[in-house]
Amino acid sequence: MLTHEDNELLCRVGPGTPMGNLFRRYWIPALLSDEIPEPDSPPVRVKLLGEEMVAFRDTNGNVGLLDNNCPHRRASLFFGRNEECGLRCVYHGWKFDVNGDCVDMPSEPAESNFKDKVKITAYPTVERGGAVFAYMGPREKQPPFWNFEMFTLADNHIFAGRTRAYCNYMQAIEGNIDSSHISYLHRNLADLKMTDFDDGTDVPGFPSAKMSTKIRGTSRTPSLELQETPYGWRYAGIRITANGHQHLRITTNVFPIFNMVSRLPDQDIGFSLFVPLDDENHWRWNFSGKLDRPYTTEERETRTSQRGELDENGKPLRGPWNDYLLDREAQRTVSYSGVTGVQAQDMAVQDSMGIIADRTEEHLGTTDQAVIHNRKVLLKAARDLMEGIDPPMPDPSIVVKVRSHEEIIPGDADWRLYGAYAGEDAGIKV
Ligand code: FES
Ligand SMILES: [Fe+2]
């Protein structure tokens, strides 16, 4: 459990809050590139860390991310005209470029230099793999852009997707780093009957996808071990297999909130993160990358429709308003939860905890150690920043090597030697 004060510290991210200040020190995704598909296309509203903004793509293709409100008399630039390398407020015609400079002020006399004195807040952006990232912190503290392995690939090898979710972002972060729930929330009842299944891959090495499902479905009390690393931390969910080996699912976390859920080596690389629009809503961002080839158009369309689940008017089909279409008959006969789809299952339980979960009422058990550790490091970094201590900045030469991992290892082996950037070779004390 947390004190009320710590819970507030953890969850509030608006301007001037300690956790909000912490996240403003890192590049975070703000919008999808295809929301502003071409030069001079219409501006769109963006909400991030409690701030209202507009994004636009100028005539040269550069992305601007500006304060929503015109500095003249505060009209919204969402109504603006995107033309000739700038976004022009329709109220009195003031025009701003992607850097926030006022480049035209037709309502003032031609000889006036007032426009040179007016600026609008503009955040730096980087566009990669179909997403626009923003840096919202102090300019002198701006770090280099993320050096994830994925961003060493060409943009067409990367897929970025996101889904709107309806509760505080921290509930989603804590869902992703809780390996024990997959044996419950995400279990299909048929997996329980897999006890006799054996395709010969319950041996040290990489299990088949089906063997992986069997192990996760039938072994419901993993031991969880956490290891601090130079980039953040990683932890293993360890299940003893029918043949007495250890099945590892290693989840990695690059500070502050970039999470790589365990994957087999033949699966795409990727990471996810949960980014607050404000204290009560967040985006679930998923980035995946193909090492060997670009995504096909078909693969992109399939992923988009799986993520989006939108009706013909672009509205989400499921949400807290219809209990994610919980089906009690399916709960008896098909799946543990009765909700279809992994993401919807996660979202259903996460926003059922309350818009901002009351962590003073929790009772944390042994499987919650990653959750506890994550809170500890985030709260420490936020408090340190209040004291003027800069937050941890993962070393780009290390970040590029980080991956999650799944493997079966001998029963007596040390899991900390396995996976990418692991063990003594990586200078990590075992
Ligand atoms: S309010 Fe924008 S130009 Fe006047
Ligand atoms: Fe989940």
Side-chain angles (χ1 to χ4, degrees):
M1 63 169 264
L2 284 182
T3 62
H4 177 70
E5 184 203 4
D6 277 359
N7 201 31
E8 290 287 299
L9 195 57
L10 196 66
C11 295
R12 304 283 177 191
V13 294
T17 59
M19 201 57 75
N21 287 343
L22 177 66
F23 292 137
R24 282 169 173 79
R25 291 298 191 90
Y26 302 89
W27 290 97
I28 52 175
L31 68 155
L32 289 166
S33 295
D34 63 14
E35 291 180 74
I36 42 173
E38 54 201 32
D40 294 333
S41 53
V44 295
R45 292 187 174 101
V46 173
K47 194 170 188 191
L48 200 56
L49 303 177
E51 294 187 40
E52 311 263 4
M53 297 173 274
V54 290
F56 70 106
R57 189 182 300 278
D58 77 6
T59 313
N60 296 329
N62 298 318
V63 178
L65 188 59
L66 308 182
D67 183 10
N68 174 63
N69 296 103
C70 175
H72 178 212
R73 290 204 356 245
R74 312 291 294 156
S76 171
L77 287 170
F78 171 73
F79 289 95
R81 301 171 61 87
N82 185 8
E83 55 190 21
E84 293 157 359
C85 278
L87 187 60
R88 192 184 288 281
C89 178
V90 291
Y91 204 175
H92 312 93
W94 292 18
K95 180 176 168 184
F96 303 92
D97 68 11
V98 295
N99 301 315
D101 291 324
C102 185
V103 292
D104 193 18
M105 195 179 271
S107 60
E108 291 292 307
E111 65 278 13
S112 164
N113 67 351
F114 189 32
K115 85 172 167 52
D116 300 330
K117 298 179 181 153
V118 174
K119 250 185 109 79
I120 189 169
T121 299
Y123 294 119
T125 61
V126 168
E127 194 168 16
R128 279 310 319 269
V132 176
F133 286 71
Y135 173 75
M136 297 167 68
R139 288 294 169 107
E140 70 280 9
K141 299 288 186 182
Q142 183 179 320
F145 186 64
W146 290 109
N147 193 33
F148 287 109
E149 180 182 20
M150 172 177 308
F151 294 141
T152 65
L153 305 171
D155 272 0
N156 60 2
H157 287 236
I158 304 173
F159 179 86
R162 67 175 191 179
T163 305
R164 174 76 178 258
Y166 309 93
C167 62
N168 184 261
Y169 77 108
M170 189 52 65
Q171 283 146 239
I173 288 180
E174 295 185 347
N176 245 39
I177 60 177
D178 155 23
S179 188
S180 67
H181 82 272
I182 57 165
S183 295
Y184 300 88
L185 179 68
H186 300 315
R187 187 154 45 98
N188 287 319
L189 299 182
D191 299 345
L192 273 179
K193 301 194 185 102
M194 290 180 74
T195 41
D196 294 334
F197 170 79
D198 188 1
D199 61 0
T201 61
D202 179 358
V203 290
F206 301 111
S208 65
K210 214 166 169 187
M211 179 59 76
S212 173
T213 302
K214 172 198 167 177
I215 296 169
R216 286 179 282 141
T218 55
S219 170
R220 295 159 61 190
T221 48
S223 66
L224 296 179
E225 295 189 19
L226 191 133
Q227 181 185 24
E228 291 188 60
T229 64
Y231 56 81
W233 50 266
R234 61 182 204 151
Y235 85 97
I238 305 170
R239 292 170 167 84
I240 303 303
T241 70
N243 290 345
H245 307 303
Q246 301 180 81
H247 174 253
L248 302 181
R249 293 184 83 245
I250 297 178
T251 297
T252 52
N253 199 77
V254 175
F255 194 85
I257 53 171
F258 290 81
N259 190 254
M260 300 177 186
V261 169
S262 173
R263 292 169 194 231
L264 286 162
D266 60 350
Q267 294 173 316
D268 298 349
I269 59 170
F271 62 80
S272 53
L273 75 166
F274 305 108
V275 180
L277 286 83
D278 54 29
D279 294 344
E280 300 187 345
N281 297 276
H282 64 272
W283 288 112
R284 300 172 64 90
W285 281 93
N286 285 287
F287 291 83
S288 46
K290 279 200 180 296
L291 293 169
D292 56 340
R293 63 171 175 84
Y295 284 101
T296 64
T297 307
E298 198 178 30
E299 284 167 339
R300 287 181 183 280
E301 281 168 4
T302 306
R303 281 167 177 265
T304 301
S305 62
Q306 281 170 349
R307 295 258 162 76
E309 287 195 311
L310 305 175
D311 67 17
E312 67 273 14
N313 299 315
K315 298 276 181 247
L317 284 172
R318 298 190 286 172
W321 55 89
N322 58 13
D323 298 321
Y324 293 85
L325 299 180
L326 166 62
D327 179 341
R328 294 291 184 191
E329 180 56 22
Q331 194 174 41
R332 270 188 290 276
T333 56
V334 180
S335 67
Y336 198 77
S337 68
V339 172
T340 304
V342 171
Q343 177 160 272
Q345 290 161 358
D346 281 326
M347 289 170 67
V349 294
Q350 286 161 13
D351 59 44
S352 76
M353 299 158 80
I355 301 292
I356 299 180
D358 179 0
R359 292 177 176 77
T360 67
E361 296 287 337
E362 293 172 335
H363 299 79
L364 299 182
T366 52
T367 60
D368 296 311
Q369 60 171 298
V371 170
I372 293 167
H373 183 77
N374 190 56
R375 291 175 187 176
K376 196 174 85 185
V377 294
L378 285 175
L379 287 170
K380 178 174 187 315
R383 286 207 165 95
D384 281 351
L385 189 53
M386 288 165 77
E387 305 292 322
I389 300 168
D390 284 335
M393 200 55 69
D395 179 341
S397 69
I398 294 176
V399 169
V400 72
K401 297 176 184 161
V402 177
R403 283 189 191 179
S404 60
H405 193 69
E406 177 172 348
E407 187 172 345
I408 292 176
I409 65 172
D412 58 356
D414 185 338
W415 74 271
R416 293 170 297 175
L417 297 171
Y418 291 82
Y421 196 73
E424 284 163 358
D425 290 347
I428 302 173
K429 237 170 115 195
V430 173

